[in-house]
Amino acid sequence: MPDHSSSPVLQPVKIGDLSLRNRIVMAPLTRSRSDDDGVPPAFAADYYGQRAGAGLIISEATNISPQAVGYALTPGIWNDRQVEAWRPIVQAVHDRGGLIFLQLWHTGRISHPDLQGGEPPVAPSAIKPVGQAFTKDGMKDHVTPRALETDEIPGIVEDYRRAAANAKAAGFDGVEVHSANNYLLEQFVRDSTNQRTDRYGGSIENRLRFPLEVVDAVVDVWGAGRVGIRLSPATTMPGETPLDSQVMDTFGIYIDALSQRGLLYVHDIEGVTQETRDADGVDFSALRQRFDGAYIANNQYTLDLAETVLEKGDADLFSMGRPFIANPDLVERLRTGAPLAEAPKAYWYGGGSVGYSDWPAMPGDRD
Ligand SMILES: Cc1cc2nc3c(=O)[nH]c(=O)nc-3n(C[C@H](O)[C@H](O)[C@H](O)COP(=O)(O)O)c2cc1C
């Protein structure tokens, strides 16, 4: 088998004040194994601990409040029971010398009344998304959301602040603000989903106001050096296109503001997550150059592609999602050129430890 031990992607690197064992990041992966109260299971400690060979783990998207929930069986970080359940999960990663950030999530309109106590989900504007929500009773059509009142928005910022503080109490090394894939923050950023006429809509500055208020609240708690953000400038999720009439202007100004705040990293989904690396009208290299911190590139990366992009200086870290599902020791496999296992989609969402924390490491590996 080819030996890639000397690959620059697999060498230790310093990002801000964090020392990473390599440049491979485990991308956030929703696995829907939490209970109805948003408490993650004990066996999530096995799952995340087994994957501590990544330079950095980003947790599955985690709801900041009951209102944030948009998928059944996803975890939360708004109450003490959830914090207590996260603590041993984080510890398992630390015990193996790994680092783990929590991804902070509010799904906005990508939800369903079944997940909202019968009420419609909230959004910047009352615009129904295409597609369906994952509820306890299976997939159900999205509904028209309720547009948030201006005076409700500061309360959501406070929900983020509390969730960020809870993540700190649980022992995480930092947090990633989920501003991608047309969830609540991106719904505010995009002019197709934000048609507000108050100070949170209209101009680019106004559309960025709420996401930046969230970032500022989270930075208050953690300091900018432990806060990253996930963006998806080229996404077409959940299926409407185009989402934005001025995408390079919008994201250029967004990234400038994030850079000014000294954020640790921007984590870009290049193209449409899972589907394609084509990024119609989006120049990721140009966006990256506007950001002074680290840049995590994502979407369909292989070790080969990561090496090429690192050599060009176009990214610092590379996140991989699907390959981590069935390969707990993914970095070891990349190092040794060992074949990668593939998880059937039936194991992606829902269920117990089977297809989740029972994927074996290679024989002879530390697991
Ligand atoms: C099962 C599954 C769950 C995902 N959950 C999340 C999530 O919670 N948060 C997020 O930002 N992206 C999520 N994604 C997107 C991945 O982080 C990543 O962008 C995508 O898998 C493309 O990277 P890859 O080609 O290395 O798999 C998920 C993807 C998959 C396959």
Side-chain angles (χ1 to χ4, degrees):
M1 286 190 293
D3 177 19
H4 298 288
S5 328
S6 57
S7 166
V9 172
L10 302 179
Q11 307 311 310
V13 62
K14 224 169 167 232
I15 298 294
D17 71 353
L18 293 172
S19 296
L20 277 53
R21 29 170 68 153
N22 53 66
R23 293 176 186 265
I24 300 291
V25 174
M26 178 173 162
L29 293 170
T30 291
R31 304 297 307 278
S32 296
R33 263 114 171 141
S34 296
D35 70 15
D36 290 339
D37 298 325
V39 177
F43 54 78
D46 301 330
Y47 166 77
Y48 280 108
Q50 289 157 1
R51 286 155 182 77
L56 174 65
I57 294 174
I58 315 296
S59 81
E60 64 209 271
T62 300
N63 302 300
I64 58 150
S65 65
Q67 185 198 63
V69 178
Y71 294 74
L73 307 175
T74 51
I77 189 80
W78 68 82
N79 66 32
D80 290 346
R81 266 188 70 213
Q82 294 160 345
V83 172
E84 289 312 311
W86 277 112
R87 224 186 282 276
I89 299 170
V90 173
Q91 192 57 49
V93 174
H94 289 167
D95 286 347
R96 293 178 181 210
L99 293 167
I100 179 165
F101 276 34
L102 181 82
Q103 191 184 49
L104 296 170
W105 197 24
H106 190 312
T107 60
R109 67 183 189 143
I110 310 293
S111 182
H112 190 274
D114 283 11
L115 299 157
Q116 297 287 326
E119 299 295 317
V122 299
S125 302
I127 301 168
K128 179 179 147 166
V130 298
Q132 295 188 311
F134 174 59
T135 76
K136 273 206 83 176
D137 304 317
M139 303 304 290
K140 293 195 177 176
D141 287 349
H142 286 306
V143 301
T144 302
R146 175 177 72 78
L148 284 160
E149 301 293 339
T150 307
D151 64 7
E152 287 179 277
I153 292 177
I156 302 179
V157 174
E158 290 314 303
D159 289 341
Y160 272 96
R161 188 190 304 275
R162 190 187 51 231
N166 285 345
K168 207 169 198 185
F172 282 95
D173 298 292
V175 287
E176 176 173 289
V177 175
H178 194 344
S179 180
N181 296 344
N182 210 248
Y183 295 117
L184 185 67
L185 298 196
E186 206 191 79
Q187 290 159 29
F188 270 84
V189 170
R190 303 287 197 170
D191 59 9
S192 64
T193 46
N194 181 347
Q195 294 175 5
R196 302 179 69 88
T197 53
D198 64 2
R199 66 180 187 278
Y200 293 103
S203 65
I204 293 177
E205 284 73 12
N206 277 1
R207 283 184 272 122
L208 294 177
R209 189 179 310 282
F210 167 61
L212 290 172
E213 286 177 357
V214 167
V215 167
D216 287 339
V218 172
V219 166
D220 274 353
V221 174
W222 277 93
R226 294 300 181 105
V227 177
I229 191 162
R230 195 163 214 218
L231 305 177
S232 55
T235 196
T236 52
M237 282 177 75
E240 285 127 311
T241 176
L243 281 171
D244 211 298
S245 62
Q246 308 162 272
V247 66
M248 282 302 285
D249 289 341
T250 302
F251 281 86
I253 293 172
Y254 198 6
I255 288 175
D256 288 347
L258 297 166
S259 191
Q260 276 158 20
R261 285 163 170 77
L263 246 60
L264 178 65
Y265 68 76
V266 161
H267 184 180
D268 262 349
I269 299 165
E270 298 170 341
V272 183
T273 177
Q274 299 181 50
E275 283 174 24
T276 173
R277 288 189 51 78
D278 290 348
D280 201 16
V282 179
D283 178 348
F284 282 96
S285 194
L287 290 177
R288 191 247 177 285
Q289 278 158 28
R290 295 171 79 142
F291 187 69
D292 287 335
Y295 178 86
I296 308 180
N298 170 254
N299 211 15
Q300 303 181 353
Y301 270 87
T302 58
L303 182 59
D304 260 8
L305 179 59
E307 285 173 352
T308 308
V309 171
L310 183 64
E311 169 125 24
K312 281 203 282 183
D314 271 350
D316 303 295
L317 305 175
F318 304 90
S319 77
M320 296 188 184
R322 288 163 292 180
F324 267 107
I325 295 178
N327 301 281
D329 53 349
L330 177 63
V331 173
E332 262 326 289
R333 294 191 198 207
L334 297 177
R335 213 181 282 285
T336 58
L340 299 186
E342 206 166 310
K345 278 194 179 177
Y347 290 138
W348 285 13
Y349 306 108
S353 58
V354 175
Y356 178 69
S357 51
D358 63 348
W359 290 98
M362 290 184 299
D365 201 20
R366 61 188 165 76
D367 289 302

